[in-house]
Amino acid sequence: MNAEEWQIVWFTAWVSALSTVIILPFGLGVAWLLARYDWRGKSLVETFITLPLVMPPVATGLILLKMFGRRGTIGGFLHGHFDLDIVFTWRGVLIALGVMSFPLLVRSARVAFEEVNPRLEQIARTLGAGDIRVFCTITLPLAVRGIIGGMLLAFARALGEFGATIMVAGNIPGHTSTLSLAIFQNVQLGQDDAAYRLLGVSVVLAFLAVWGSELFLRRKRGFK
């Protein structure tokens, strides 16, 4: 592999990891609310969160493009007040990856929270612990394996994202080109050797992420 290909691998890995870290607090908050409370319209919220998993990625990307473009509500505000562009930059890649991987993190974290016995939380409260302390010392430690598994799944999903990314960030070599975009471009240009090299790296990274996720989840259930 040449320097350009390694740059693509590095960019994809770090932006996927960063997107996972950024969505983590929001994902945990949403997952905890879904696991612990019932309210009117909860099913609508669950459906909305799941939509990126079932919609065509390019459709999700088009929505993000309209929102974060210079003429969009969010993109126009950021450009007008902070001179900050999202579309066709690495920030666009970050947002696309985060949105597409968010549902997987929420689903895994929600299951992990639901498996924590509420009685343990109630006992801690009767001993004088506040909600934040209960969450940090009881709920979170007991659910941590499922949360880590969800993070690894989200990371793996981000590694392979294509449709939303190309809509929001394009495929600009050295700036927004990810593994999946580079593989597609190399195939289009007839550079099969380069495409297969990047494919091999993509498979290895995705395998390690998914394998790690399954390892954490199986250990949480008491298997080896």
Side-chain angles (χ1 to χ4, degrees):
M1 291 178 59
N2 55 40
E4 181 180 358
E5 292 169 347
W6 279 116
Q7 189 275 332
I8 292 171
V9 173
W10 168 246
F11 174 75
T12 304
W14 80 257
V15 78
S16 297
L18 181 59
S19 70
T20 304
V21 172
I22 289 176
I23 67 174
L24 180 60
F26 304 101
L28 292 183
V30 172
W32 185 76
L33 290 174
L34 293 175
R36 285 290 182 261
Y37 295 97
D38 289 318
W39 68 87
R40 187 181 299 273
K42 179 179 177 180
S43 60
L44 292 178
V45 174
E46 294 171 331
T47 302
F48 180 78
I49 292 173
T50 307
L51 276 180
L53 291 179
V54 296
M55 287 177 57
V58 291
T60 303
L62 181 59
I63 295 173
L64 295 176
L65 181 63
K66 293 299 181 183
M67 291 175 59
F68 290 96
R70 288 187 178 182
R71 296 182 180 180
T73 304
I74 302 176
F77 175 81
L78 293 175
H79 179 75
H81 290 78
F82 303 100
D83 194 27
L84 185 65
D85 288 324
I86 301 297
V87 174
F88 301 122
T89 67
W90 68 269
R91 302 179 193 90
V93 178
L94 187 68
I95 290 174
L97 300 188
V99 169
M100 296 302 297
S101 58
F102 186 76
L104 289 176
L105 176 61
V106 171
R107 289 167 70 91
S108 296
R110 178 183 178 179
V111 172
F113 287 140
E114 288 176 341
E115 292 180 350
V116 176
N117 191 341
R119 292 188 60 185
L120 299 176
E121 300 171 334
Q122 294 171 1
I123 292 172
R125 291 190 182 95
T126 60
L127 295 175
D131 290 338
I132 296 178
R133 185 176 181 182
V134 170
F135 180 80
C136 294
T137 60
I138 303 295
T139 310
L140 194 60
L142 292 176
V144 68
R145 290 190 182 276
I147 293 171
I148 293 176
M151 291 176 63
L152 291 172
L153 280 179
F155 175 74
R157 178 66 183 86
L159 285 174
E161 168 50 32
F162 176 83
T165 305
I166 200 168
M167 290 293 291
V168 178
N171 185 20
I172 306 173
H175 295 280
T176 65
S177 185
T178 62
L179 274 169
S180 56
L181 298 179
I183 291 171
F184 176 78
Q185 182 182 41
N186 285 326
V187 172
Q188 292 292 99
L189 296 176
Q191 300 173 351
D192 292 345
D193 290 342
Y196 285 125
R197 286 195 297 270
L198 294 177
L199 172 63
V201 174
S202 180
V203 170
V204 170
L205 291 176
F207 177 86
L208 290 175
V210 175
W211 177 75
S213 174
E214 290 296 323
L215 184 63
F216 272 99
L217 293 175
R218 287 176 64 85
R219 284 183 176 179
K220 182 170 72 72
R221 291 190 290 264
F223 295 103
K224 295 182 178 180

